[in-house]
Amino acid sequence: MEMESKYAALRRAAEEAAAVDAHAHNLVADGSAFPFLRCFSEADAADALALAPHTLSFKRSLRDIAALYNCEASLEKVEEFRRAEGLSSISSKCFKAANFSAILIDDGIDFDKMLELEAHKAFAPTVGRILRIEKLAETIINDESFSASSWTLDSFTEIFVTKLKSVANKIVGLKSIAAYRSGLEIDPNISKTDAEDGLRKELSGQRPLRITNKNLIDYLFTCSLEIAVSYHLPMQIHTGFGDKDLDLRKCNPLHLRAVLEDTRFSKCQIVLLHASYPFSKEASYLASVYSQVYLDFGLAIPKLSVQGMTSSIKELLELAPIKKVMFSTDGYAFPETYYLGARRARDVVYRVLSAACEDGDLSIQEAIEAVEDIFRRNALYLYKLNVANGSVGQITAIADNGIPLSEQDVLFVRVVWIDTSGQHRCRVVPAGRFYEIARKKGIGLTFASMGMTSFTDGPADGTNLTGVGEIRLMPDMSTLLRLPWSRREEMVMAEMHIRPGEAWEYCPRNTLRKVTKVLLDEFNVTMMAGFENEFFLRKKVVSGEKELWVPFDNTPYCSTTAFDGASSVLQEVYTSLKAAEIVVEQLHAEAGKGQFEIALKYVLCTLAADKLIYAREIIKSVARKHGLLATFLPKPDLNDIGSGSHVHLSLWEFDQNVFMGSSEYNYYGMSRIGESFLAGVYLHLPSILAFTAPHPNSYNRIQPNTWSGAYQCWGKENREAPLRTACPPGIPLDLVSNFEIKSFDACANPHLGLAAIVAAGIDGLRRSLTLPEPTESNPAGYASNSKLKRMPKDLMESVEALAADKIMHELIGDKLVTAVIAVRKAEIDHYEKNPAAFADLIHRY
């Protein structure tokens, strides 16, 4: 029980991941002659199949199904339930319990009364097709319109390649079952003479023919790989065990060495199916030494015993990168096979990863990330899926000019970074070049990029960053997003590397990771963050020869009229956020003219920063589609309310919120860890503001009586305090679950803002700092008797505090802090001399 409690967050992650089933087969209709007993066994001969109920897998799987159906655990009762419920009902039950976001189906097996691919969309949000190459070849040859005497290798190849290309835009991958026919020792240099001879031998047999000639199969495989390379299609390959039709000795993936060593196919992503069992160690080795090799463990789970499944997954992970290991069910014919594959995979992956944590191979957070990779992210990336939109986004052949041949494909990939001044920037790469080169080698970018200000695209004096020197923008492929508002583009967050694999010391994302690692290593704690996005919608009016951006409306806080007027925009924003897997908790009209707020669900702080950036991109882009301008500028109108990016923060150890107090320690609802962390943030607030309120305009917003945190204090549910501890619904009234920082706005680079907060919290924890008494009323009332210090009234005060803050220099890094200070000073100077320049900032933030 103690271990279960320790790894509760990991267990929950494994059970709740909306999985991509990367390899499965068609269901069959009611009344199919395909026996239900085949649900539990690869045996097809009646005598062998009759013994299936005596296997460990059968006994366990039957109990799993009976538990799902709430019926007696006997084959008779399960089949009786199936007949009474019907296919639609049991499929819905099984697929809902399996929790798929997508299924990829190889429809190359012929079952009696097999359902069409489209029918599966009733049970899964996204359905993609895997094309089996041997099946395509047999369909062509068996076509009655062709006589055996009319075939030549060239005529056959022309039709085969043409048909393959004609469906390349409609599939997510290819598949070969060469292992079943002639084995995996494929000769990629098979001669046309030998292939022609193989075709003649096949044509001399009876129809419908089933291709088994090794020369012809090797030729088909090689032709298909060439297409796969051109169209960026992964190639799934059956490896390891299956039914008795194969010779297991020829199914060891080590036989693929000639293919893997062939430079023509070094960029073709090859997926070894079925954990290559019993050759899982060999498959793991191949994935570790060949960049193009990926692993899929369907069929091994759930067909093996629990120990067998666990052992196989452990062996896959012994050498293979986690980013290359994928879940599938190998579900077929019966919806129960999908359910069993998913149910057992979640349990086995949890077992293996929790054991890896116990052994010290992984931290718990790394194991949780591994769950997301194995069940979702690896397949989303490899097969280019956009599951939230129910679509597949396969890139096809690239012409010499770098433009995809299909009008429906991705044209551009935006590689995004946020600079020191908090501006969103991107370099755009044609999709073909991105996937061929940029995603692995990165994109060149000048050192000066992290020294730029909001008023000019040149480095500020004193940043020590100039046009001399170049970094690499390295795409983080786990953040790849098909743009919901521009379907022919993708967006991906960038890491900044001094060279591929070595982080640049000015990289904001790496800075946040660096300080959160210190928090985890020293205190075994992670930080969760949830942002509130406040923004103004403005519409364009023409006055004489001038174009003006005026408020979208003039309505009060939480106005129903305001929401109704912007409903079409907000609906599209919400749908796009959902497509980007950004969870919205609530949205409403705010107090400013044309102002709205969208609150996002809390997630791990490193993910929260990325999601905040994507949320802003989505809101601005959707507004632009509707002819509006969305601005996140803190104070676009000095006579109106300002906009913030308030952030709610909590501390977690494993699955427990450790910011919250308990019977052991309760300081105004906080734990000892919570109090010390918050005390550090309280102490360092003036210097934190140089990161979280980083623009001169920020201080027009941070004023008394505006709920923006103008005095250095904290309070429980005190919205005038810059630090508010919160007791949301469901939390006991004597406790608090998180704290909110009000003095955070959208001019901030969110990674740097959160990094500064974590750094301050670490100082509080290291020194066991304590908080003063809370402020329980409007702090402006204390101003006259000087009980409370005013927060910095302008950016220069924050900059001076940062310059003197040794903790920030230590944990954030001297060079980056120096650059931040220089950018801030340049902006102070510019906007003091050019106050009218504030008006243009609505287009930058």
Side-chain angles (χ1 to χ4, degrees), residues 402-422:
I403 298 175
L405 299 179
S406 167
E407 287 296 307
Q408 301 303 313
D409 292 327
V410 174
L411 283 177
F412 302 131
V413 181
R414 305 181 189 184
V415 183
V416 177
W417 76 98
I418 313 300
D419 67 14
T420 310
S421 69

Side-chain angles (χ1 to χ4, degrees), residues 556-578:
Y557 172 72
C558 281
S559 165
T560 56
T561 302
F563 195 89
D564 190 56
S567 182
S568 61
V569 180
L570 297 173
Q571 285 180 32
E572 187 172 346
V573 165
Y574 173 76
T575 302
S576 297
L577 290 170
K578 188 176 180 182

Side-chain angles (χ1 to χ4, degrees), residues 65-83:
I65 295 171
L68 178 66
Y69 292 164
N70 195 25
C71 70
E72 182 184 314
S74 70
L75 186 60
E76 179 185 5
K77 291 297 183 182
V78 166
E79 290 196 280
E80 182 180 303
F81 182 90
R82 297 182 87 255
R83 287 191 295 271

